[in-house]
Amino acid sequence: MPETSGHSERDVQREVAELQAKSATAARIFDLRRIIGGLFVLYGVIVTIAGINPSDATLDKAEGVNINLWTGLGMLLLGVFFLVWLKLRPTPPPVPDADAEDKPAAD
């Protein structure tokens, strides 16, 4: 059977496999747990540093509670939770649709 497109079926399958691998990598990179965890860790560090040496005025506003320190530590814990969750339960690779090969293309 002559090839009309210039690509063999093996080449097309290889290209599809490469695109699926790239898609899975992009899904892992842009996983919301990574973004949320990273932002909470970053902001948690900033707020914790601000709460390490509070001024008397800041403590008076918060009725004696070092709110920056406690909020920063909470944000750090939440961010670490998201990152650990991502590490323990990574995004599964997408399952290729077996029916897509059998169905004709819709126009």
Side-chain angles (χ1 to χ4, degrees):
M1 186 159 99
E3 296 178 23
T4 57
S5 65
H7 292 289
S8 69
E9 187 174 331
R10 186 176 297 147
D11 289 340
V12 171
Q13 288 176 349
R14 182 180 47 81
E15 289 177 15
V16 168
E18 288 175 4
L19 288 173
Q20 287 175 342
K22 288 179 183 178
S23 174
T25 301
R28 283 191 293 274
I29 289 173
F30 294 109
D31 189 344
L32 285 179
R33 295 174 293 179
R34 180 183 315 264
I35 295 169
I36 292 170
L39 286 174
F40 267 101
V41 167
L42 176 68
Y43 293 142
V45 167
I46 293 169
V47 174
T48 301
I49 290 172
I52 289 175
N53 291 323
S55 66
D56 291 335
T58 304
L59 288 176
D60 289 341
K61 281 184 188 179
E63 297 181 10
V65 177
N66 191 348
I67 195 74
N68 285 337
L69 180 65
W70 290 110
T71 303
L73 291 174
M75 292 173 78
L76 277 172
L77 286 174
L78 184 62
V80 168
F81 166 75
F82 272 97
L83 295 176
V84 168
W85 179 21
L86 177 67
K87 184 73 172 171
L88 295 177
R89 306 278 292 200
T91 305
V95 178
D97 188 13
D99 297 334
E101 295 175 2
D102 300 335
K103 294 180 183 176
D107 291 336

